[in-house]
Amino acid sequence: MKMKKLLCIALAAMMVLALAACGSQSQTSENGDPSASPEGETDASPAAESSAPEGEATGDTYVIGICQQMTHEALDAATQGFKDALTELLGADAVEFRDQNAGGEQPNCTTIMNGFVSEGVDLILANATWPLQAAASATADIPILGTSVTDYATALGITDWTGTVGGNISGTSDLAPLDQQAEMIQELFPDATNVGLLYCSGEPNSVYQIETIRTYLEDMGYVCEAYAFTDVNDLSSVTQTACDNSDVIYIPTDNTAASNTETIANVVIPAGVPVIAGESGICSGCGVATLSISYYDLGYTTGEMAAQILTGEADISTMAIQSAPNVTKMYNAANCEALGVTIPDDYVVIE
């Protein structure tokens, strides 16, 4: 009996100690031990915060998807201007850029835009026509801003153009006054007869520019012939044909031409045929003169529009397409000297 009594006392003591331990553990959790997570509460550790889905904005950070059609001076400048504007207006910590380059391949634009939509970016910058077309097909919800796009009606197939796309699309146009570019040809080459119009047939906005400036030039008495290349593979041969039949060549704001100015220069300079270009990047590679916008300024304007959209200050569906604020007469000193072209004093040399 004595042994049984001792065993009961020992068991009772063990139960008291166990209850005391449980009470102590519960009290520690309630007092905020970082290693304990009370039931029903969410883990707020840095590791948990960093597990937010990629592409979604957290707090005041906006995720911007950028698709640039290809690499060349003008498009690069527009992208940089866009980034600088958003960084300056919203703060470097408030924006995250997802840069993608399509490498001049139209299918890549579609893949990139579908990726942006899947990630749930807050806004898309479509730098040039193919990215704009791909973005328009990919989403009707995410705000889309175009830049380095010549004519939005042509790019998006809009027949009743009013200056505003509507829906989730707006942006900026890189179209310099084509009538003034035609006047530049007349100013510099009054004795010319035949003007060759060199462009990529796969770029809708190049087609638009060629058709428009052709009307102006023919009204001035020039004989115009269009020379279309499909891609870089036939660029040299088409350029040679244009040189054989032209006194002067005009190249619009054509992305394929802008990416291959050396190929064009290797034909036109030995042939002695001057090129008037639609923008300064092309002119600096193979032209003699241009009436050009600043693509950096154009991108900056687009960035200002983006800031207004992201902060709720503006409704993209009512934002009219904006144009570059200024155009400048510019010339390529080296090519002018090589071809014996005299430039008036009101032109600015391309550095």
Side-chain angles (χ1 to χ4, degrees):
M1 289 292 294
K2 188 174 181 180
M3 289 295 294
K4 288 184 178 180
K5 186 175 180 179
L6 290 173
L7 181 59
C8 289
I9 292 171
L11 289 171
M14 291 176 64
M15 290 177 66
V16 170
L17 290 172
L19 288 172
C22 290
S24 176
Q25 183 177 12
S26 175
Q27 183 66 32
T28 302
S29 297
E30 291 172 0
N31 287 340
D33 182 353
S35 66
S37 298
E39 186 177 358
E41 295 185 9
T42 302
D43 185 1
S45 67
E49 291 176 355
S50 65
S51 64
E54 185 178 5
E56 294 183 3
T58 56
D60 294 327
T61 300
Y62 301 102
V63 179
I64 314 298
I66 300 176
C67 179
Q68 184 171 313
Q69 184 163 316
M70 60 182 67
T71 299
H72 65 70
E73 181 180 333
L75 299 188
D76 292 347
T79 293
Q80 190 60 54
F82 175 81
K83 288 181 175 181
D84 288 351
L86 275 175
T87 300
E88 291 172 15
L89 294 171
L90 301 182
D93 295 333
V95 288
E96 179 183 343
F97 299 110
R98 302 287 175 83
D99 284 282
Q100 296 288 336
N101 193 303
E105 298 292 334
Q106 195 165 9
N108 291 346
C109 297
T110 300
T111 301
I112 291 168
M113 291 305 177
N114 288 337
F116 288 157
V117 173
S118 297
E119 292 175 19
V121 299
D122 297 297
L123 184 141
I124 293 172
L125 175 70
N127 192 348
T129 301
W130 289 350
L132 177 68
Q133 293 170 329
S137 297
T139 179
D141 301 315
I142 298 174
I144 300 166
L145 287 176
T147 193
S148 311
V149 177
T150 304
D151 182 68
Y152 283 73
T154 300
L156 298 174
I158 302 172
T159 56
D160 55 342
W161 180 246
T162 61
T164 302
V165 176
N168 65 323
I169 300 175
S170 188
T172 56
S173 167
D174 64 353
L175 180 63
L178 293 173
D179 57 341
Q180 294 181 39
Q181 290 186 351
E183 290 170 0
M184 177 176 285
I185 294 175
Q186 187 177 50
E187 176 185 31
L188 297 178
F189 308 104
D191 298 327
T193 301
N194 299 296
V195 177
L197 309 173
L198 183 66
Y199 69 102
C200 177
S201 59
E203 298 192 32
N205 279 303
S206 294
V207 177
Y208 167 79
Q209 292 173 82
I210 292 300
E211 292 175 347
T212 303
I213 199 168
R214 181 174 195 154
T215 300
Y216 292 130
L217 290 169
E218 289 180 343
D219 286 345
M220 294 175 179
Y222 290 104
V223 176
C224 297
E225 185 67 37
Y227 298 92
F229 55 89
T230 56
D231 53 36
V232 66
N233 294 317
D234 64 341
L235 175 56
S236 182
S237 61
V238 173
T239 302
Q240 185 62 62
T241 301
C243 286
D244 293 340
N245 297 282
S246 308
D247 300 311
V248 58
I249 290 174
Y250 173 78
I251 302 176
T253 55
D254 185 287
N255 288 298
T256 307
S259 296
N260 296 278
T261 56
E262 184 177 356
T263 299
I264 298 172
N266 287 339
V267 178
V268 298
I269 299 301
V273 179
V275 169
I276 298 296
E279 54 93 4
S280 60
I282 297 175
C283 187
S284 65
C286 62
V288 294
T290 181
L291 181 70
S292 183
I293 67 167
S294 164
Y295 276 82
Y296 178 87
D297 291 347
L298 190 72
Y300 196 96
T301 297
T302 315
E304 292 176 324
M305 296 171 70
Q308 293 175 342
I309 294 165
L310 292 170
T311 58
E313 297 177 29
D315 179 358
I316 191 170
S317 67
T318 62
M319 296 180 82
I321 300 301
Q322 298 188 35
S323 299
N326 301 298
V327 291
T328 305
K329 287 183 174 181
M330 308 177 78
Y331 73 100
N332 182 322
N335 286 351
C336 285
E337 182 178 359
L339 298 176
V341 177
T342 302
I343 298 296
D345 293 337
D346 59 338
Y347 283 64
V348 177
V349 67
I350 297 175
E351 300 293 343

